[in-house]
Amino acid sequence: MSAVITPSTPPGPLHHRIAWHLTRDPRRELWLAWGTLMVFYSLFFPMFFIVAQVQPPPEPTWDLATQVHWFAERRLGIPVGFGVIFAISGMIAVNNALIAYSMRRMSVSRAFAYSYLLIYSLSAVPGMILLNVALIVGTLRPDRDPEAIGWLYDFAFLSFDGTMGVFLIGSLIWMVAILLDKNRVFPKWFGYLNLCNALTEVVVAPCWIFRRGVFAWDGEIAWWLDMVVFGIYQVTFIVMLFQLVRREDFGTGPLPALPRKKAVAQ
């Protein structure tokens, strides 16, 4: 009777190992999904922070003249940066699919994975698309009425920072699935880190009310503290998904503690 075990990467030059993963590794689809996730986030943050220069967010209390000037300064960066974001936005689906796969690998109901996919299929709208569209519209028509520019300015950053309910629910679904799971797909502490990420979506909601102070959309709590928590969470879940793919043996029970080194016949 033979035991099917995931083979290890053969030794040799890097390009040989990459070719082996692409052609013979049973986990190649999972590795492709994880690689797509890395490409997306490697481009996402530079486009927002460096090219478009829309994060950290500007002041919500600026007058119309300052807002118009802010758009004028980014008349090239915003279209270029967000053009790249639009081009790679489909990669989000692969990211969500890999996270849903992690829940399918758990001992919990499949409803967790399907609920997560359904909720996060909408997440790009408040988390990215509305901000991108509003700022591009404001940038490409500098001759607009300053009142319209001010409306686009408020709409863009309020939609980005104040409509994160889908991320709140999604993080809670992933948290509950991890805490109930008996297959040891992820450690329990990672479930509680999902709770921390979910709570950041709660404290950012008051930016609809406060224009100054720690709860404004550029405030110490609503943005700076949230960004620290989100950054830690982002790096952690990328590492956790990497470990998931390494440990995957395509069984139905608990994942092995370490990746299998070789195929063993009995």
Side-chain angles (χ1 to χ4, degrees), residues 14 17 39 78 219 226:
L14 177 61
R17 285 179 281 160
V39 171
I78 286 177
D226 279 12

Side-chain angles (χ1 to χ4, degrees), residues 8-238:
S8 61
T9 305
L14 177 61
H15 65 279
H16 287 172
R17 285 179 281 160
I18 293 175
W20 182 89
H21 277 297
L22 293 175
T23 58
R24 299 185 58 189
D25 190 345
R27 300 166 296 182
R28 58 184 176 273
E29 293 181 356
L30 297 177
W31 283 123
L32 180 61
W34 187 84
T36 302
L37 166 68
M38 288 295 296
V39 171
F40 175 78
Y41 283 111
S42 295
L43 292 172
F44 180 86
F45 289 103
M47 291 303 109
F48 269 79
F49 283 79
I50 299 174
V51 179
Q53 297 182 17
V54 300
Q55 299 293 322
E59 292 282 344
T61 55
W62 280 348
D63 58 28
L64 290 179
T66 307
Q67 293 173 14
V68 170
H69 178 69
W70 182 87
F71 275 99
E73 286 185 324
R74 290 155 179 81
R75 61 184 178 276
L76 180 61
I78 286 177
V80 171
F82 288 165
V84 173
I85 292 296
F86 282 130
I88 66 172
S89 59
M91 293 180 178
I92 298 174
V94 180
N95 174 25
N96 297 338
L98 184 58
I99 295 174
Y101 176 85
S102 76
M103 286 184 269
R104 284 289 304 272
R105 191 61 178 78
M106 298 177 188
S107 62
V108 299
S109 168
R110 293 183 177 184
F112 283 91
Y114 296 143
S115 298
Y116 186 93
L117 270 182
L118 178 62
I119 290 173
Y120 266 74
S121 66
L122 306 173
S123 65
V125 177
M128 187 173 64
I129 300 300
L130 290 179
L131 171 77
N132 293 6
V133 171
L135 294 184
I136 286 178
V137 169
T139 302
L140 295 181
R141 291 282 300 276
D143 57 336
R144 287 183 185 275
D145 184 340
E147 292 286 345
I149 294 293
W151 185 90
L152 290 168
Y153 180 86
D154 284 344
F155 175 77
F157 290 104
L158 286 174
S159 67
F160 184 71
D161 293 321
T163 57
M164 297 299 180
V166 289
F167 298 97
L168 167 67
I169 301 302
S171 295
L172 292 179
I173 289 174
W174 203 8
M175 178 198 73
V176 173
I178 293 170
L179 296 181
L180 295 178
D181 174 43
K182 294 181 173 58
N183 286 351
R184 302 193 300 271
V185 173
F186 296 120
K188 301 300 181 185
W189 62 261
F190 181 57
Y192 294 112
L193 185 59
N194 273 273
L195 177 61
C196 294
N197 183 64
L199 292 178
T200 64
E201 314 302 348
V202 176
V203 298
V204 76
C207 75
W208 285 87
I209 302 171
F210 298 97
R211 299 189 65 194
R212 294 179 175 84
V214 297
F215 290 113
W217 74 48
D218 66 332
E220 288 80 0
I221 291 179
W223 196 87
W224 292 99
L225 179 61
D226 279 12
M227 184 55 63
V228 171
V229 175
F230 180 72
I232 294 172
Y233 173 74
Q234 198 77 35
V235 172
T236 303
F237 93 64
I238 289 174

